[in-house]
Amino acid sequence: MALHLIKLCVGADSIDDLREWVAERSLRAIAAGLEPHSVHTTRMVPKRMEELLDGGSLYWVIKGQVQARQRLLGIETFTDDEGISRCRLMLGPEVIETAVQPKRPFQGWRYYTQDDVPADLASLGTGIAEMPADLRRELTELGLL
């Protein structure tokens, strides 16, 4: 069973903001002759790397709700210029929308088990994915989705 990470998407107000950031990073990587993935740097290194890389994703909390995920492609540890250990999370170029799931603020990242993750929006059936994000969010808050 895959293990996942969950993290606050600081600076993004919407999935479109996240997609723009990912697209920009992917274009920079392609221009540098690298794979078109985005990288997220964090201070803490996950101890359960093997489980995370066995089909895991990074789930993004935007505006207090889990709304999207990106596949985890790799995890790389390094030491920065100040001698501090850091971790690069290599993420797939596709931002996959998920069913909206409320999440309280927290610091850093947390492990997220397969039992806890929201379903991908595309798997919920026809009509739901085509709804405007604001309408989906409101219907979820009302307990109707």
Side-chain angles (χ1 to χ4, degrees):
M1 185 184 303
L3 186 65
H4 309 279
L5 293 177
I6 183 170
K7 185 157 184 24
L8 299 181
C9 192
V10 178
D13 290 329
S14 67
I15 293 173
D16 289 336
D17 285 348
L18 176 60
R19 282 195 174 114
E20 286 177 23
W21 181 84
V22 168
E24 181 182 317
R25 295 291 175 134
S26 294
L27 288 174
R28 283 187 197 168
I30 290 169
L34 302 171
E35 293 293 319
H37 59 262
S38 57
V39 175
H40 182 76
T41 303
T42 183
R43 188 173 55 88
M44 301 301 291
V45 179
K47 306 241 184 295
R48 300 169 68 180
M49 279 192 233
E50 283 183 34
E51 292 171 87
L52 290 168
L53 295 176
D54 186 24
S57 292
L58 175 61
Y59 282 78
W60 290 109
V61 178
I62 302 169
K63 294 276 199 173
Q65 296 182 323
V66 178
Q67 296 187 37
R69 70 179 179 93
Q70 284 180 273
R71 285 283 310 232
L72 276 167
L73 302 177
I75 299 173
E76 198 177 86
T77 58
F78 69 100
T79 303
D80 69 10
D81 296 338
E82 298 173 2
I84 299 170
S85 294
R86 303 229 180 248
C87 176
R88 283 187 192 102
L89 303 174
M90 272 74 81
L91 304 169
E94 184 182 12
V95 176
I96 302 160
E97 286 188 64
T98 66
V100 176
Q101 183 184 70
K103 199 70 174 168
R104 291 179 181 235
F106 57 92
Q107 289 186 339
W109 51 261
R110 301 285 185 267
Y111 289 113
Y112 211 31
T113 66
Q114 190 64 38
D115 294 336
D116 296 331
V117 300
D120 288 350
L121 196 58
S123 72
L124 295 179
T126 57
I128 295 175
E130 289 79 27
M131 280 184 200
D134 291 340
L135 178 59
R136 279 195 317 264
R137 181 182 181 135
E138 190 171 334
L139 290 173
T140 300
E141 288 172 356
L142 293 171
L144 299 173
L145 281 183

